[in-house]
Amino acid sequence: MELRLLSLVPDAPLPQRAPASTRPAVPPGYGVQEQCLPFTAACALGLLVPAPFDFGLCLPAELPAGVQGFRAPGPRDAATEDQRLFYVRDRPSSRLRANAYSFDPLPFDDERGERAELRPVQPGLSFFERADQVGLFKLHLPWLLRTPDGIDSLYGPPLNRSAPLELLSGLIESDWYAHPVNLVVRRPAMGALHISAGQIIAQVLFLARDSRRAEALPANGAAAQALRNDLLRWFVAHRQDRSAYRRLARSKQGRLDVAKD
C-alpha cells in the first residue's frame, strides 16, 4: 500500500516504516521474542511516529536549559494545583517558536482573482478547556498523511515498544481528512516528563473501513467440526516442529532471520 506524506514545515521528524525487531541485536538461541512471528508481525505494522520537537512537564527547578516553562491554560483548582510546568523547546529549523508552528504558505486565488497566501499558525502543544479534561493535552503533528480510498489510520501507542507517553487512541478517515493530526496525551499524575525530538512516541496502523466492526458467532455444525480439525492438525504440526507457525504462516510480514537451535 502506498501512502502520501506532506511535511508542512522544514526539518520535521517524519514517520518511518516500523521494523519487525524492537532491538538492534537479537541474541542467539531458541525462544527469543524475535522468533515469535505474531510478535514481530505486530511490531512491523504501519509507521512509527516520532516526536516533532522537545517538550515536557516538570517542576520549575527541573526545566532543561534554554526552555521557558508555562502553565496550561484553563480551569484550575488552587488548592490542588499541579506545581509542574509544561515546556516546548523552540525548533527554528522547523519554524517552531514559542509553542507555535508557522506552516508553509498555501497559495490561492482570492474572490477578486488575485493571488494570495494563507499562512497557517498552529500550536505545538494545546490544551482542553473543560474541567473534566484538565488531565489531557494535545501534541500537534506538522505533517499530513493521505491513505488510499477506504483506508483509515489508527493512532495509538507503539506496539511492543516502550511507550514514553500515555496516548489515547484515535481513528482518522485519512483518505479525505486534510488537517494534521493531533495526538491526545494523558498528563502523568506525578513525576517529570521529558520527550526529545525524533523519539518514537506512537504508531499508526492502517485498516479497511469496511472491516471496522465484527461479530463473533458460535461455531456450530460443519463450521465447528472444521475448526476442530484445524486445531487437531495444529497440535500435530507443532509436535513435529515447534516453529510450525513460522513455517505455515501465509504472510511474510514480520519475518526475521534468526538462528534456531
Side-chain angles (χ1 to χ4, degrees):
M1 183 178 66
E2 291 186 350
L3 308 168
R4 297 292 181 264
L5 181 67
L6 175 64
S7 182
L8 302 173
V9 298
D11 192 35
L14 299 176
Q16 56 194 261
R17 186 174 180 177
S21 180
T22 60
R23 48 187 172 175
V26 179
Y30 187 84
V32 297
Q33 63 191 28
E34 284 80 4
Q35 287 177 326
C36 176
L37 186 55
F39 174 90
T40 55
C43 294
L45 283 174
L47 303 175
L48 297 180
V49 178
F53 49 81
D54 296 357
F55 69 94
L57 174 70
C58 61
L59 292 172
E62 300 170 336
L63 286 171
V67 304
Q68 180 66 48
F70 61 93
R71 295 195 182 278
R76 288 195 290 266
D77 181 350
T80 59
E81 184 175 341
D82 193 340
Q83 298 303 308
R84 295 173 298 175
L85 300 176
F86 282 93
Y87 70 85
V88 172
R89 185 184 299 277
D90 286 354
R91 187 177 174 90
S93 63
S94 296
R95 297 199 301 267
L96 175 72
R97 292 182 176 85
N99 191 33
Y101 275 114
S102 296
F103 283 174
D104 292 338
L106 302 173
F108 67 99
D109 293 331
D110 63 17
E111 62 276 5
R112 296 173 296 181
E114 297 180 358
R115 204 61 172 164
E117 284 185 342
L118 177 66
R119 295 178 173 270
V121 176
Q122 297 286 305
L125 301 182
S126 67
F127 304 88
F128 294 91
E129 297 178 356
R130 292 177 53 96
D132 60 342
Q133 293 175 319
V134 294
L136 305 172
F137 66 94
K138 295 180 183 179
L139 170 62
H140 295 253
L141 302 176
W143 39 263
L144 285 175
L145 187 65
R146 178 57 50 86
T147 53
D149 289 346
I151 302 298
D152 297 331
S153 299
L154 176 62
Y155 288 80
L159 297 177
N160 298 331
R161 295 177 171 89
S162 60
L165 301 175
E166 186 179 352
L167 293 181
L168 277 64
S169 297
L171 184 69
I172 305 296
E173 293 186 355
S174 46
D175 56 347
W176 65 265
Y177 185 66
H179 191 274
V181 168
N182 56 76
L183 304 178
V184 178
V185 184
R186 193 177 302 281
R187 184 189 307 194
M190 59 184 65
L193 173 69
H194 299 287
I195 301 295
S196 300
Q199 184 176 353
I200 298 304
I201 55 172
Q203 193 158 352
V204 54
L205 314 179
F206 305 102
L207 63 156
R209 191 168 305 143
D210 58 9
S211 68
R212 282 191 192 180
R213 298 185 62 81
E215 185 176 2
L217 301 174
N220 298 310
Q225 187 57 48
L227 287 174
R228 291 191 185 95
N229 291 340
D230 287 345
L231 179 61
L232 175 61
R233 282 192 288 269
W234 167 253
F235 277 123
V236 173
H238 192 260
R239 183 178 300 171
Q240 296 172 346
D241 179 2
R242 58 184 179 176
S243 296
Y245 189 90
R246 293 176 58 84
R247 177 170 53 83
L248 298 174
R250 274 69 162 175
S251 172
K252 302 299 182 182
Q253 170 79 10
R255 292 183 184 270
L256 295 174
D257 293 327
V258 180
K260 295 190 294 183
D261 287 346

